Amino acid sequence: MRQLVLVMLFSAFSSMVFGQKAVVQSPDQKIVVGLFPGQSNDIGEWYIKASYNNNGTIIEAIPRIDLGLSRSDQDFSKDLKFLKAGKPIFINEEYTALHGKRAACKNAANEVVVSFENPTKAKLNIIIRAYNDGLAFRYEFPDKQGSFVVKDELTAYTIPKETTRWMEKWNPANEGLYAAMNKDKTVSGEWGYPALFSTDNKDCWFLLHESDVNRNYCGTKLSNAAAAEKYKLTFPNPQDGRGLGESAPVITLPWKSPWRVIIMGTLADIVGSTLVNDVAEPSVIKNTSWIKPGIASWNYWSSNHGTKDYKTVCVFADLAAEMGWPYTLLDWEWDAMGNGGKLEDAAKYIQSKGIKPLIWYNSGGNHTWVTATPKDRMLTHQNRVEEFSMLKKLGFAGVKVDFFESEKQDMIKYYLDILEDAAQFEMMVYFHGCIVPRGWERTYPNLMTYEAVRGAEWYNNTPDFTMPAPEHNATLPFTRNVVGPMDYTPVTFTNSQYPHITSYGHELALSVLFESGMQHLADRPEGYYELPDAAKTFLKNVPNAWDDTRLVDGYPGKEVIMARRKGNDWYIGGINGEQNEKKKTVKFDFLREGVKYKLTLIADGKHDKAFATQYMVVDKSASVDVTLLRRGGFAASLIPIK
């Protein structure tokens, strides 16, 4: 039988094989990556092609991915001579994630190393891996010495215009809205990661990203400015970070590039994938017992100057204590705190409630225009040692560092320096005004979350977020939050400066839908205290680090229903991103066989600010019908009955 399957696969892929110099298949043989010459011989330009086997139907997902690099001393793109393709090897690694969408993770792939040389005999390797949920490739200069500038990376994805895409216009803080495009609606420009694509075959989706960006390179973005259907990797704009730092990275041999990551499969495969972390370097922190994900109260959303007021800080510490959340955050202006106490008093009060304090910093330096203080206390190793020493003595558990405004190589180094120094003092870290995740939370598990999203804070900034927020919220689980933790600061029932039109059920669901190792629930205390008992209890118990994640139903921008497991308990969040009421049937086929669960379903009531709560006993064979108001939602818990 296995031989028959292999023959069928060979036949199906025969159209790919002509001219192909190397091939690598995923362990389950659903994904095939082929290497092809751009000419009739073995010297010239090269590209790879990614195909997906959907139950015997072969889908050419990405017909061409151009390869190559341009270095300050010579070119590695136009006249590359193919030397050999190594034998496939099986990468098989298991690791545990301390926070994220899944605790037990696997890095399992088939890998092939393809070797080239240019006209000067200088060597370039391309390392290609095929995973069950996607593919990844990276460049390698194997020579043992030399330091050079990478002038350009020629990696470019050719995407047929029929492919639907969800993309965010590039901006340094990664806080834009996603736009859906295809065919004649495709726009040219610069785009941030991640980018989601749906082929003509609705069972094949893919998401473009990168991982394992380190001090040896810069972050990149996608640009189709030159040709609408070709998305080329592009280095940071020279003006980013107020023009400080070089856009083109300097490398020292031997060298490997970041991984170019393509998550591929069904929409459920995309949502459930940990591929961005799988390819990243393993943890460099040996003792991780002090790294504890959790929910935090946060005063900035409801009072922009809240941390300036000692009494407000105490009220939010009380909120965390009442709700059973382990953290509260002191945001900007803590160095100007008054009205009854200073920083030391606040730290003492917070800890007297059994809560741990977190604290905000401006990243400082001339790379940011923002003058908010405290500034520059994270900027150098000496600054950080002094500050972390002080924070450790006062009992702080972590720092929020804001306003990076660049993904140039010097800023990548700065991010990683902060993480390494913080680990020495057992301090957790989260970044704001920052880069989208690049797998660092595997290497540095004290990195709890990143902003890099247009989140609820934007209700403070502009009236323009109110109307697009429901559709945006229903897009993020398929895009930004796929690739790593996301500090959206969700679950707000009252209003900030500008109102939201999402229902209470929608807001409650975000506690499950949006994953963040440090989850800041942003509403003012009365927003939580005045909830009905079922909703309040839900927020007291909902985890924020998960053992498993499943997409139950959904489509980007329209709706999403997701189930997440912690231990034996399951939690479900579902939202409607559209302006019309919907009825959805939620199946519980992800539950364990032979186990009965108590279902608490908290859905939309008769209007946006009302809940309708049901309790019932269900098992794996059961289902429930849920009504979602326009822009509505629901949340549910499933607890095993002993």
Side-chain angles (χ1 to χ4, degrees):
M1 183 65 185
R2 177 174 167 80
Q3 288 179 327
L4 177 61
V5 171
L6 289 172
V7 168
M8 290 173 66
L9 279 169
F10 179 82
S11 175
F13 286 112
S14 60
S15 61
M16 277 184 58
V17 170
F18 182 76
Q20 181 176 273
K21 298 299 293 188
V23 65
V24 56
Q25 291 188 356
S26 60
D28 65 1
Q29 299 181 334
K30 282 190 173 182
I31 292 174
V32 177
V33 188
L35 172 75
F36 294 84
Q39 57 288 319
S40 59
N41 56 38
D42 286 355
I43 300 177
E45 298 178 350
W46 295 82
Y47 67 94
I48 57 178
K49 181 184 297 188
S51 298
Y52 179 69
N53 176 19
N54 180 37
N55 297 319
T57 301
I58 307 305
I59 302 158
E60 193 175 84
I62 310 179
R64 185 178 178 115
I65 306 171
D66 292 316
L67 302 171
L69 294 161
S70 173
R71 220 166 64 183
S72 53
D73 61 324
Q74 53 190 312
D75 182 75
F76 292 84
S77 64
K78 293 183 174 57
D79 296 303
L80 285 177
K81 180 181 179 181
F82 174 84
L83 298 179
K84 65 175 182 177
K87 292 182 178 179
I89 62 170
F90 182 48
I91 306 296
N92 190 21
E93 176 189 15
E94 296 182 356
Y95 67 97
T96 300
L98 298 183
H99 51 89
K101 67 179 76 170
R102 184 170 297 107
C105 300
K106 286 186 176 181
N107 180 30
N110 290 321
E111 176 183 286
V112 169
V113 179
V114 184
S115 299
F116 298 91
E117 67 179 17
N118 71 2
T120 72
K121 307 293 185 183
K123 302 296 189 289
L124 171 69
N125 295 334
I126 299 176
I127 304 166
I128 305 171
R129 289 183 182 176
Y131 289 80
N132 290 345
D133 58 347
L135 60 136
F137 64 95
R138 74 190 321 176
Y139 301 98
E140 178 184 36
F141 288 127
D143 291 340
K144 302 302 182 188
Q145 59 184 358
S147 182
F148 309 97
V149 175
V150 178
K151 293 165 59 180
D152 197 9
E153 181 172 333
L154 286 305
T155 305
Y157 304 93
T158 296
I159 311 293
K161 66 179 182 180
E162 294 77 19
T163 303
T164 304
R165 60 213 70 195
W166 288 261
M167 306 187 77
E168 177 188 334
K169 279 279 189 182
W170 162 254
N171 63 95
N174 295 287
E175 294 182 33
L177 296 170
Y178 274 84
M181 301 174 285
N182 67 359
K183 298 182 180 175
D184 295 335
K185 295 180 181 179
T186 301
V187 177
S188 296
E190 291 187 336
W191 307 94
Y193 292 118
L196 177 68
F197 299 83
S198 172
T199 67
D200 265 357
N201 185 307
K202 297 308 178 186
D203 290 320
C204 178
W205 297 69
F206 60 92
L207 183 143
L208 302 183
H209 197 43
E210 63 182 9
S211 179
D212 206 29
V213 180
N214 58 34
R215 292 177 177 87
N216 299 318
Y217 215 59
C218 58
T220 70
K221 54 183 178 290
L222 300 167
S223 174
N224 66 336
E229 295 180 24
K230 181 172 286 192
Y231 293 89
K232 180 188 173 301
L233 265 65
T234 307
F235 292 156
N237 298 347
Q239 66 269 27
D240 290 349
R242 295 184 66 187
L244 294 182
E246 296 298 325
S247 293
V250 177
I251 64 171
T252 300
L253 308 190
W255 170 85
K256 292 178 181 177
S257 75
W259 287 102
R260 308 299 165 215
V261 176
I262 307 166
I263 301 172
M264 185 177 290
T266 65
L267 198 51
D269 293 332
I270 303 289
V271 169
S273 176
T274 58
L275 185 53
V276 173
N277 283 358
D278 297 344
V279 299
E281 287 295 310
S283 175
V284 297
I285 301 174
K286 302 304 180 188
N287 171 26
T288 58
S289 61
W290 52 275
I291 301 171
K292 297 186 183 298
I295 294 176
S297 63
W298 183 50
N299 65 47
Y300 176 86
W301 186 84
S302 57
S303 176
N304 291 173
H305 301 280
T307 303
K308 204 172 182 178
D309 188 303
Y310 171 75
K311 290 181 180 176
T312 299
V313 169
C314 292
V315 165
F316 276 82
D318 293 342
L319 169 64
E322 169 67 24
M323 297 298 290
W325 303 336
Y327 303 106
T328 190
L329 171 67
L330 307 187
D331 215 289
W332 76 308
E333 297 182 320
W334 58 261
D335 54 338
M337 192 185 302
N339 195 24
K342 298 290 187 183
L343 177 67
E344 293 79 5
D345 305 302
K348 190 176 297 183
Y349 181 86
I350 291 165
Q351 290 170 89
S352 76
K353 297 293 181 178
I355 307 302
K356 291 184 178 180
L358 310 166
I359 192 164
W360 177 95
Y361 286 88
N362 188 335
S363 68
N366 291 327
H367 60 266
T368 175
W369 291 100
V370 181
T371 58
T373 61
K375 188 175 179 179
D376 295 344
R377 299 193 193 182
M378 291 287 123
L379 199 56
T380 68
H381 172 70
Q382 183 178 346
N383 292 152
R384 293 188 291 272
V385 168
E386 291 174 1
E387 204 67 12
F388 290 145
S389 297
M390 180 270 289
L391 294 176
K392 192 74 175 173
K393 288 178 183 176
L394 292 178
F396 282 85
V399 295
K400 169 184 176 180
V401 189
D402 209 344
F403 304 124
F404 289 89
E405 302 182 27
S406 164
E407 296 182 10
K408 296 174 183 175
Q409 187 177 20
D410 64 337
M411 196 58 63
I412 300 298
K413 181 180 184 297
Y414 184 28
Y415 279 116
L416 300 182
D417 288 348
I418 290 173
L419 291 172
E420 290 189 353
D421 285 347
Q424 296 302 311
F425 289 85
E426 298 188 346
M427 300 291 291
M428 294 180 286
V429 177
Y430 47 110
F431 294 129
H432 263 233
C434 64
I435 195 169
V436 169
R438 299 302 207 276
W440 292 344
E441 61 272 21
R442 181 183 177 193
T443 312
Y444 302 96
N446 62 323
L447 174 52
M448 308 306 291
T449 191
Y450 317 63
E451 186 184 27
V453 65
R454 181 163 293 207
E457 186 179 338
W458 277 82
Y459 289 117
N460 272 300
N461 299 344
T462 169
D464 299 337
F465 187 54
T466 295
M467 295 309 295
E471 180 181 346
H472 179 62
N473 293 349
T475 303
L476 293 174
F478 304 104
T479 50
R480 164 63 182 86
N481 212 184
V482 169
V483 302
M486 178 181 78
D487 195 28
Y488 177 102
T489 61
V491 190
T492 56
F493 303 101
T494 67
N495 284 325
S496 185
Q497 271 82 329
Y498 302 100
H500 52 64
I501 56 171
T502 51
S503 77
Y504 276 22
H506 184 118
E507 288 295 317
L508 187 67
L510 300 184
S511 66
V512 178
L513 285 181
F514 292 168
E515 181 271 310
S516 179
M518 197 67 76
Q519 183 75 285
H520 295 81
L521 300 191
D523 209 346
R524 49 180 55 84
E526 53 267 35
Y528 301 116
Y529 292 152
E530 294 172 6
L531 290 172
D533 286 345
K536 190 189 305 180
T537 300
F538 187 89
L539 290 176
K540 287 181 177 182
N541 295 327
V542 67
N544 74 302
W546 304 97
D547 293 329
D548 197 6
T549 293
R550 309 279 185 91
L551 177 66
V552 176
D553 192 9
Y555 189 89
K558 296 182 182 296
E559 73 240 2
V560 55
I561 302 173
M562 192 181 295
R564 298 192 193 265
R565 179 176 61 83
K566 183 67 173 181
N568 294 318
D569 302 340
W570 284 90
Y571 293 81
I572 304 176
I575 60 172
N576 180 4
E578 296 187 298
Q579 302 294 329
N580 53 292
E581 183 177 298
K582 297 178 182 179
K583 290 188 177 180
K584 305 295 292 187
T585 298
V586 181
K587 297 179 179 179
F588 301 120
D589 50 6
F590 51 84
L591 296 176
R592 283 176 56 197
E593 191 75 55
V595 178
K596 292 189 179 298
Y597 294 78
K598 179 184 177 182
L599 169 68
T600 302
L601 175 63
I602 310 168
D604 287 324
K606 291 183 178 180
H607 55 80
D608 287 354
K609 296 182 180 181
F611 289 112
T613 302
Q614 300 178 61
Y615 304 93
M616 61 188 81
V617 175
V618 299
D619 60 17
K620 185 181 178 70
S621 65
S623 63
V624 64
D625 293 331
V626 185
T627 298
L628 287 78
L629 297 179
R630 69 204 188 290
R631 312 179 300 271
F634 73 93
S637 62
L638 292 146
I639 312 300
I641 298 173
K642 296 180 181 178

